[in-house]
Amino acid sequence: MTQHNDRHPPARRPLDRRQVVAAAAQLADTEGLDKLTLTRVAGMLGVRQPALYRHVDGFDDLLRSLSLRGREILAQRLTDAAVGLSGDDSVAAVGHAWRQMVRDHPGLYAATDRYPCAGDPELEAAVERVLAVLGQALRGYDLSEADRVHAARTLRSAFHGFSHLESGDGHPLPHDPEDTFGHLVVLLCAGVHRLSRRSAVGTGDVL
């Protein structure tokens, strides 16, 4: 008697936007954002490029999604790093978490610089979340609300700048980037303490 094999290969999961963005993120992180193309993403997913247009409106739309995802991961990493810490320890922790995120997701992080967020409510909200996390990390200092906002923006600028240079080999030898980053954190914390004392005693110093 002929036996029929009733085993069938598992049904292929329908393609969706999440899968497209995940494949693009993997490609950007492993090979670099400059290597990212819709054709290569389609190849990773085993489909033809036109199939992607059911889920993304072209390369710019895909880049925007990567930019958003990069900021979401960054905000979560910073949030996790600051739990249970305050003051200088909190600043150092979010700084190291920022650098590690860039190391883990270089392509996604690069995408945050490639797509403008101005005028895009969702991307602007993602940036504000990062700033809010930095502001929360500064709660251990005696800062006015205005000074806390400025300090959070300063931390963002410093950590972004350092990480951007580091990811592009912008810190040449012989100086150890770890030592340099440690000095950066000390300088930032010293500046925040200066703001904290000025806020507390009202000296009126001009910075």
Side-chain angles (χ1 to χ4, degrees):
M1 179 181 295
T2 303
Q3 293 185 345
H4 296 282
N5 187 357
D6 292 331
R7 297 180 63 186
H8 299 285
R12 185 170 181 172
R13 184 177 181 180
L15 190 63
D16 57 27
R17 184 182 179 90
R18 183 196 61 78
Q19 290 174 284
V20 174
V21 174
Q26 181 182 347
L27 179 59
D29 282 342
T30 56
E31 299 190 30
L33 189 62
D34 290 336
K35 301 294 185 181
L36 179 66
T37 66
L38 290 176
T39 300
R40 296 200 65 192
V41 173
M44 289 180 65
L45 294 169
V47 299
R48 295 182 181 275
Q49 182 177 328
L52 299 183
Y53 290 105
R54 301 190 187 100
H55 311 287
V56 294
D57 295 328
F59 183 79
D60 282 351
D61 183 34
L62 182 60
L63 188 61
R64 177 192 177 278
S65 293
L66 294 181
S67 173
L68 178 62
R69 181 61 180 148
R71 290 185 173 97
E72 289 173 342
I73 292 175
L74 177 62
Q76 189 59 56
R77 290 284 189 94
L78 302 184
T79 299
D80 293 343
V83 171
L85 300 176
S86 65
D88 295 358
D89 290 338
S90 183
V91 171
V94 296
H96 286 293
W98 196 302
R99 289 176 71 201
Q100 191 60 50
M101 185 275 172
V102 178
R103 291 169 177 168
D104 293 342
H105 299 286
L108 278 177
Y109 191 77
T112 65
D113 266 349
R114 297 285 185 90
Y115 195 93
C117 64
D120 186 316
E122 192 173 21
L123 289 179
E124 288 179 348
V127 173
E128 286 302 315
R129 184 184 173 202
V130 170
L131 286 171
V133 175
L134 293 175
Q136 190 64 34
L138 293 165
R139 288 291 177 183
Y141 300 95
D142 184 16
L143 299 173
S144 69
E145 189 58 35
D147 281 342
R148 182 175 292 108
V149 170
H150 290 307
R153 289 177 175 175
T154 300
L155 294 185
R156 179 192 176 212
S157 299
F159 295 150
H160 169 72
F162 190 97
S163 299
H164 180 72
L165 288 171
E166 186 173 43
S167 65
D169 295 324
H171 296 303
L173 298 174
H175 302 293
D176 183 355
E178 294 297 331
D179 289 341
T180 302
F181 189 75
H183 280 75
L184 175 66
V185 171
V186 169
L187 289 169
L188 290 170
C189 291
V192 176
H193 279 292
R194 176 68 178 270
L195 285 175
S196 179
R197 289 195 295 270
R198 185 170 70 98
S199 177
V201 302
T203 60
D205 291 345
V206 177
L207 301 181

